[in-house]
Amino acid sequence: MPETPPRIAVDAMGGDIGPRINVSAAVQAAREGIRITLVGDAEVLRGELARLDAPAGLAIDIVHASQVVDMDEKPSEALRRKKDSSIQVACQLVKEGRADGVVSAGNSGASVACGIFVLGRIKGVERPALASIMPTEKEPIVLIDVGANVDSKPFHLAQFGIMGDVLARDVLGVDKPRVGLLSIGEEEGKGNVVVKEAFDLFKKTSLNFVGNVEGRDIFSGDLDVAVCDGFVGNICLKLSEGLARSFGRVLKRELKRHMLSRMGAALSMRSLKNFAQMLDYAEYGGAPLLGLKSILIVCHGSSNLKAVTNAIRMAATYVERKSHEHLAAELTAHTELAQFSRHKA
């Protein structure tokens, strides 16, 4: 464990709501003992801290960044033209050792690009992957990749499985995560060429590989890590989020329809609140970009106070438990996969 609490750099200008939410989340996290560096327009950030009447003793400092990456900007252009953007400066602070991790609710493509080109990849990692922690009937599950790589090779999927395994152990506290490969059938031999080849690679690892799993298995709670490429994973993630929101709206409408249903809802309010909490994406903060030399958490652009605060907590936990070191060690240990990298394909 570090001698001092982790310092997390927060891209305070990122997201649909921007500094108002990000600074509030930073203050809340700082009250819990996490050290914070707010990155963005210094004058605006000082104004937000004053609005919140943040105590002077909180471990919060400010690093000025004169530029902001807009949500619709192309990542490549943002990297090249906005060297002083809040996300790029935040990542640079980690690279220089002035912070331990980054949290951003800004342009996700730019965040991923900055993570790869500024923070750098762990040796041997070809494709960093975004991992989402999703609710299930039992305990949360890691879904990886959810959007960083729309085209992946079998070797990449195997590495994603190793990354997800480390996250499940270090952050979710699972002793021996059950890792499954998302496919169109449970039987060996189902799926496209990439999935079939990845299946064979998974069997060569020391992971607790349970074979192919289907989309319906994700929410059963009988799995800890589901692996897929970013194209499939992003669709799966967005479908799940949309279904949860729609289900909540329909349930609310039906409970208000009749007097008896309203009375039943009043009697079941505690259970309904617990159910809503389980489906709330904000419970899990954001998606860690795994495979980097340091931790970067990518949040929804529309993230609320709870989501950003939990993302900061997750980043701090990742740093405290030295998860990036564990990940590097696990990837190095799986030397049998090296022969399948794109360099030797």
Side-chain angles (χ1 to χ4, degrees):
M1 301 284 282
E3 294 181 0
T4 56
R7 177 170 291 281
I8 306 303
V10 177
D11 172 12
M13 310 306 290
D16 297 339
I17 306 174
R20 193 171 190 86
I21 287 295
N22 295 324
V23 176
S24 295
V27 169
Q28 187 165 321
R31 291 180 186 277
E32 299 171 8
I34 301 172
R35 298 184 299 158
I36 301 292
T37 295
L38 293 170
V39 184
D41 187 312
E43 184 176 351
V44 171
L45 300 183
R46 283 193 289 267
E48 284 297 317
L49 289 173
R51 178 183 65 83
L52 295 168
D53 196 22
L58 287 180
I60 298 178
D61 60 22
I62 294 173
V63 172
H64 181 70
S66 62
Q67 297 173 305
V68 179
V69 177
D70 296 328
M71 298 300 279
D72 59 350
E73 280 192 73
K74 292 182 178 180
S76 57
E77 293 184 3
L79 269 176
R80 186 171 61 255
R81 298 180 181 179
K82 292 190 172 180
K83 301 290 187 182
D84 200 44
S85 66
S86 52
I87 179 59
Q88 195 158 174
V89 171
C91 288
Q92 191 65 38
L93 290 175
V94 175
K95 183 178 181 179
E96 295 170 358
R98 297 165 60 191
D100 301 302
V102 179
V103 170
S104 176
N107 184 308
S108 58
S111 296
V112 170
C114 284
I116 293 173
F117 293 105
V118 179
L119 297 180
R121 296 170 293 177
I122 293 173
K123 184 178 180 180
V125 171
E126 294 183 0
R127 301 279 187 89
L130 281 169
S132 177
I133 299 177
M134 302 178 67
T136 75
E137 296 175 25
K138 300 172 185 175
E139 299 298 326
I141 184 176
V142 175
L143 178 65
I144 183 170
D145 177 29
V146 294
N149 308 281
V150 295
D151 294 303
S152 300
K153 295 180 180 180
F155 171 72
H156 302 143
L157 295 182
Q159 282 201 332
F160 297 167
I162 296 169
M163 296 175 190
D165 175 81
V166 171
L167 184 68
R169 283 192 278 115
D170 284 5
V171 176
L172 298 183
V174 183
D175 289 334
K176 194 169 180 60
R178 297 156 296 180
V179 181
L181 181 61
L182 198 59
S183 187
I184 58 172
E186 296 179 352
E187 302 82 6
E188 183 174 352
K190 286 291 185 74
N192 58 24
V193 173
V194 172
V195 169
K196 290 177 183 178
E197 293 184 10
F199 187 100
D200 293 333
L201 292 185
F202 271 102
K203 290 195 299 183
K204 299 178 186 295
T205 71
S206 59
L207 296 172
N208 182 18
F209 180 54
V210 298
N212 286 338
V213 296
E214 299 181 79
R216 64 187 176 190
D217 298 320
I218 292 176
F219 299 102
S220 68
D222 297 324
L223 189 70
D224 301 301
V225 180
V227 180
C228 57
D229 65 46
F231 184 85
V232 172
N234 191 264
I235 292 174
C236 183
L237 177 66
K238 299 295 175 59
L239 174 64
S240 302
E241 292 174 350
L243 179 61
R245 292 193 186 101
S246 294
F247 182 82
R249 287 192 291 265
V250 170
L251 180 61
K252 186 176 181 180
R253 184 186 67 203
E254 291 301 315
L255 290 175
K256 290 182 176 181
R257 190 179 293 274
H258 305 292
M259 178 62 72
L260 286 177
S261 60
R262 288 197 293 271
M263 292 174 61
L267 293 172
S268 306
M269 189 56 66
R270 184 171 183 177
S271 295
L272 290 171
K273 285 183 178 179
N274 289 340
F275 179 70
Q277 183 179 22
M278 186 186 77
L279 295 178
D280 186 5
Y281 76 88
E283 286 293 319
Y284 310 104
L289 182 62
L290 303 179
L292 302 178
K293 293 179 180 177
S294 304
I295 186 61
L296 165 63
I297 307 287
V298 180
C299 304
H300 287 268
S302 58
S303 289
N304 57 22
L305 173 61
K306 183 178 182 180
V308 179
T309 304
N310 281 338
I312 296 172
R313 290 174 180 140
M314 185 192 296
T317 298
Y318 193 93
V319 173
E320 287 173 340
R321 296 181 180 174
K322 300 182 178 180
S323 298
H324 63 290
E325 294 180 16
H326 299 161
L327 180 52
E330 285 295 321
L331 291 169
T332 301
H334 288 83
T335 54
E336 70 279 4
L337 294 181
Q339 61 181 304
F340 300 102
S341 74
R342 63 183 174 86
H343 301 298
K344 298 183 179 181

